[in-house]
Amino acid sequence: MKEGGKSELISWIQSVAIAFVIAIVIRQFLFTPVVVSGQSMQPTFENDNKIVISKVYKIDRFDMIVFHAPDSEDNFIKRVIGLPGDVVVMNNDKLYINGVEYEEDYVQENKAGIFEGQKLTQDFKVEVPEGYLYVLGDNRRNSTDSRIIGFIDEKSVIGSVKFRFYPFREMGIPK
């Protein structure tokens, strides 16, 4: 091999190695792709939607997060409803956090599919302890969330949902 060809090959190998290291660092510490499994976040996410989560985040109320589920090998995706110290009340399908009523636009499609007089979400009242979150799925009638598994330790959060990249027709920042 000629000297010029050898240095060209070394240059390519170095470039590929650097790109590989950068990709690993980004995936390990900044962003990672996740495939949604199940129906608990319908209609916001469907089964097999592909999303990107950020591992650098500040969790706010109504953010969608991915976390290690307690007593399970699975990771769950849910919406944060209660932050540490919040008093969360659901009364007649109306959400109150610290005494303030919040509209939940993301559940309206599911609410439209139930019979008059039925509730989408059963009534409850909880106070979120320090270091924990209260999460609910958007598909309230078919979601294993804090109503069943309890509060979510903030340390179990893997990341916050930032972008949907599949299906392509729904690509973008989820609401």
Side-chain angles (χ1 to χ4, degrees):
M1 185 177 273
K2 292 185 180 181
E3 196 59 40
K6 197 180 225 182
S7 71
E8 178 83 17
L9 179 62
I10 290 171
S11 175
W12 273 101
I13 291 171
Q14 286 176 332
S15 296
V16 169
I18 290 170
F20 185 70
V21 169
I22 290 171
I24 288 173
V25 168
I26 288 172
R27 184 174 173 138
Q28 188 67 29
F29 299 107
L30 299 177
F31 298 98
T32 194
V34 174
V35 177
V36 175
S37 177
Q39 305 170 359
S40 71
M41 286 297 290
Q42 286 178 335
T44 307
F45 295 113
E46 300 289 333
N47 190 47
D48 291 330
N49 279 187
K50 292 171 180 45
I51 59 174
V52 174
I53 62 170
S54 171
K55 293 184 175 187
V56 179
Y57 54 84
K58 177 187 176 295
I59 298 174
D60 289 320
R61 197 172 287 119
F62 306 112
D63 283 353
M64 291 167 283
I65 61 169
V66 174
F67 59 93
H68 296 296
D71 302 325
S72 175
E73 295 295 315
D74 297 328
N75 294 329
F76 285 7
I77 179 173
K78 304 291 179 205
R79 192 177 297 271
V80 175
I81 301 298
L83 299 171
D86 282 349
V87 174
V88 180
V89 175
M90 184 66 70
N91 187 12
N92 280 335
D93 275 340
K94 290 188 169 95
L95 174 66
Y96 299 89
I97 303 171
N98 302 323
V100 177
E101 183 178 349
Y102 287 85
E103 282 294 319
E104 294 185 283
D105 295 335
Y106 46 85
V107 298
Q108 294 310 313
E109 186 176 322
N110 290 331
K111 199 178 274 192
I114 62 175
F115 294 112
E116 188 175 328
Q118 289 185 322
K119 292 181 185 179
L120 181 65
T121 312
Q122 71 271 23
D123 293 348
F124 64 83
K125 178 179 181 177
V126 297
E127 185 170 348
V128 184
E130 285 302 315
Y132 290 87
L133 303 168
Y134 194 81
V135 298
L136 295 175
D138 291 356
N139 186 0
R140 300 285 166 77
R141 292 185 144 202
N142 191 13
S143 179
T144 302
D145 50 37
S146 286
R147 297 171 295 170
I148 296 167
I149 60 177
F151 300 106
I152 303 305
D153 191 325
E154 288 179 311
K155 295 176 193 151
S156 71
V157 176
I158 300 166
S160 178
V161 176
K162 296 300 179 191
F163 191 77
R164 176 185 4 232
F165 64 93
Y166 184 82
F168 299 123
R169 71 183 182 287
E170 295 178 18
M171 185 183 297
I173 299 170
K175 306 251 185 254

